Amino acid sequence: EWIKTYSLLPGILSVPIFAAIPLGMFLSSSNNSNDNKKKNIKSLYPSKVLICFGLFQCAAMTQSAIGYATNMFFSKVNPQLNMYRTFGYELSAGFAGGHGLAASTGKLLESFGIPQYEWEIAQGVAMTTATVGLIGGMIFGIIFINIAVRRNKTNIIKAIKKNNEDKSMEVGYNKDISKQNSLGRETFLSSSIETITFHLAIIFAVCGIAYIVLNFVKRMNIAGLNVLPVWTYSMIIMFALNFLIKKTNLTWMIDAKVKAKIMGTLSDFAIVSAITSLPIKAIMNYIAPITVMCILGFIITYLLVFPLGDFFFKHDYSFERAIVSWGTLTGVLTTGMILLKICDPEYKSPALSEFSLGFSLMSITGLLIVPILNNVLARGSTFDNFITAIISAILYFSFAFTIFLINKKSFTKN
């Protein structure tokens, strides 16, 4: 009984996690930091940010296509496996989405009216792909870095050096108190309200409004909108609130670092509860398609990230750009940052700054694209989802390639 309760927690916690993403986005605490941000953004090439965005989304959608293709292959070769309709979504959810999105897979499928038995398995498969992606992505990433250094493909470092100061990355803690980071700013005095309490109140209030909006949409039976998960509405509402905060000059109330720690705490609980409630027996029935799906996922992601990255960003930190993208596409953004730190210890290259801006675009454009993909996922067959993923991947690649062609001259000059 307690395992059933645990299996519900990731879906519940995913709502405030996703709701918190837009909070504090593009906000700053002072005019000086605003000026600095503007200077940094102006110094970057917007076209390169858009290319990073297009390539990442192309790879993520290709991962979905691989998953659905694996589903159709095993359904034909071994019908006794009884592959469920949405099998394949979990590859992109686990690889590109990481444990956070993987943990919310059950809640998403449950909102489509899919039986509990199926969405519990799907959530377990997603958590499995997320774990395989995180570990495999890190191991392969380090191998790729060593090979790149030997072949003189890296721009910042020319040899891997072990730095004792960076051992905290390996062990997960830092004993030196002077080097331990702060949790964030205290935007309010404790005598009035705790800063964490204020941030939590905003996040949970938005979640509550999102549930009200979703219930209203379901009562009105608005086609297309009634199948969207509640966290989509929470993100839309939070974007609107974030815009309002910025326009009313109340940015001093929000600290992105505090928000990130709240998201991290909720994510930790969601991941632990998702792993604890893994339906291991059910997942073992799908071990062959999961293995094939993950292997193909690594191979195709590599081909889309490294050779294509070298084509679009030749002689312009192509490897550094590729490695941060690889880490994020197989794990989370932190994985990409850790891998990048190995070959660019001080983040001197524009790889992280440009990729981060492109990554932020995904949250904004996702409000338009995710509802379309979710509608197909809710109602379409496995083949429908496969075709949608392929078309989306082609469109994203075409977008990146068009931006590249338009700015080809300026790229070669720089």
Side-chain angles (χ1 to χ4, degrees):
E1 190 66 34
W2 64 270
I3 290 179
K4 284 186 178 179
T5 305
Y6 260 50
S7 68
L8 298 172
L9 277 176
I12 295 168
L13 293 173
S14 67
V15 181
I17 290 169
F18 282 103
I21 291 172
L23 184 63
M25 191 177 283
F26 306 125
L27 302 183
S28 57
S29 57
S30 68
N31 292 328
N32 289 334
S33 58
N34 264 330
D35 293 338
N36 289 333
K37 270 191 177 176
K38 285 177 184 176
K39 284 177 186 175
N40 287 335
I41 292 170
K42 282 179 182 177
S43 68
L44 302 172
Y45 291 106
S47 52
K48 292 181 181 179
V49 173
L50 292 175
I51 289 172
C52 288
F53 161 76
L55 290 179
F56 184 93
Q57 291 291 71
C58 171
M61 293 312 304
T62 305
Q63 287 177 355
S64 292
I66 292 167
Y68 296 127
T70 305
N71 184 341
M72 292 187 290
F73 175 78
F74 277 92
S75 294
K76 193 141 191 168
V77 173
N78 190 1
Q80 294 177 344
L81 274 175
N82 293 322
M83 304 287 287
Y84 53 91
R85 179 178 63 84
T86 59
F87 181 93
Y89 166 80
E90 299 91 344
L91 180 63
S92 179
F95 269 39
H99 281 88
L101 187 59
S104 68
T105 299
K107 183 71 174 177
L108 175 67
L109 298 181
E110 184 190 18
S111 68
F112 298 156
I114 289 173
Q116 184 173 356
Y117 174 74
E118 276 192 23
W119 66 252
E120 279 184 350
I121 295 174
Q123 183 168 286
V125 173
M127 291 301 293
T128 304
T129 59
T131 305
V132 170
L134 188 69
I135 296 170
M138 182 64 77
I139 293 170
F140 286 128
I142 292 170
I143 292 171
F144 297 153
I145 290 168
N146 278 281
I147 293 170
V149 169
R150 289 193 194 110
R151 293 182 179 178
N152 201 31
K153 286 190 174 183
T154 52
N155 290 274
I156 307 297
I157 62 162
K158 299 301 175 186
I160 302 289
K161 293 179 182 178
K162 284 208 169 183
N163 192 345
N164 291 329
E165 291 180 9
D166 287 334
K167 275 210 166 174
S168 57
M169 280 281 192
E170 297 173 17
V171 297
Y173 58 84
N174 197 331
K175 290 182 179 180
D176 189 346
I177 296 174
S178 63
K179 292 182 180 178
Q180 291 174 351
N181 294 324
S182 168
L183 288 173
R185 286 185 295 110
E186 282 198 54
T187 57
F188 286 88
L189 294 176
S190 299
S191 55
S192 57
I193 185 172
E194 288 289 346
T195 300
I196 292 177
T197 306
F198 178 76
H199 284 70
L200 278 171
I202 290 178
I203 294 167
F204 289 144
V206 166
C207 292
I209 296 168
Y211 275 106
I212 293 169
V213 171
L214 179 60
N215 287 332
F216 174 76
V217 169
K218 284 185 175 179
R219 275 187 194 175
M220 300 300 290
N221 198 24
I222 302 172
L225 297 179
N226 55 358
V227 295
L228 294 181
V230 65
W231 53 260
T232 303
Y233 289 100
S234 67
M235 282 187 72
I236 294 170
I237 295 166
M238 189 63 86
F239 265 113
L241 179 61
N242 192 64
F243 176 79
L244 191 65
I245 290 170
K246 189 175 180 180
K247 285 295 177 185
T248 52
N249 294 320
L250 295 174
T251 55
W252 57 268
M253 295 193 305
I254 307 299
D255 181 41
K257 209 171 180 182
V258 171
K259 177 210 74 173
K261 296 303 177 187
I262 291 171
M263 284 177 65
T265 303
L266 295 174
S267 296
D268 287 343
F269 280 104
I271 292 165
V272 169
S273 55
I275 293 172
T276 306
S277 59
L278 277 177
I280 296 171
K281 286 184 181 178
I283 291 172
M284 289 306 293
N285 292 330
Y286 298 100
I287 192 67
I290 289 172
T291 304
V292 170
M293 184 169 68
C294 288
I295 291 171
L296 288 174
F298 279 127
I299 294 170
I300 301 300
T301 301
Y302 172 83
L303 293 175
L304 288 173
V305 168
F306 288 95
L308 276 184
D310 197 43
F311 170 77
F312 281 103
F313 301 107
K314 199 167 187 178
H315 308 306
D316 187 16
Y317 301 99
S318 61
F319 181 80
E320 285 76 11
R321 295 176 194 275
I323 200 67
V324 68
S325 186
W326 165 266
T328 309
L329 278 165
T330 55
V332 289
L333 181 58
T334 309
T335 313
M337 290 174 67
I338 291 171
L339 288 172
L340 179 63
K341 193 174 179 66
I342 297 172
C343 55
D344 182 8
E346 296 177 19
Y347 297 131
K348 289 180 179 178
S349 73
L352 183 61
S353 53
E354 291 181 5
F355 182 82
S356 298
L357 283 173
F359 199 71
S360 299
L361 278 177
M362 291 171 226
S363 299
I364 301 168
T365 56
L367 297 175
L368 300 171
I369 297 158
V370 170
I372 298 169
L373 297 176
N374 282 347
N375 268 292
V376 180
L377 185 63
R379 296 190 174 96
S381 63
T382 305
F383 183 74
D384 292 336
N385 281 285
F386 170 74
I387 291 298
T388 304
I390 288 290
I391 292 171
S392 300
I394 292 170
L395 288 174
Y396 279 121
F397 176 78
S398 301
F399 172 78
F401 190 66
T402 303
I403 298 295
F404 173 76
L405 288 178
I406 293 170
N407 297 274
K408 193 174 182 181
K409 287 183 180 178
S410 60
F411 277 14
T412 51
K413 282 179 185 178
N414 294 282

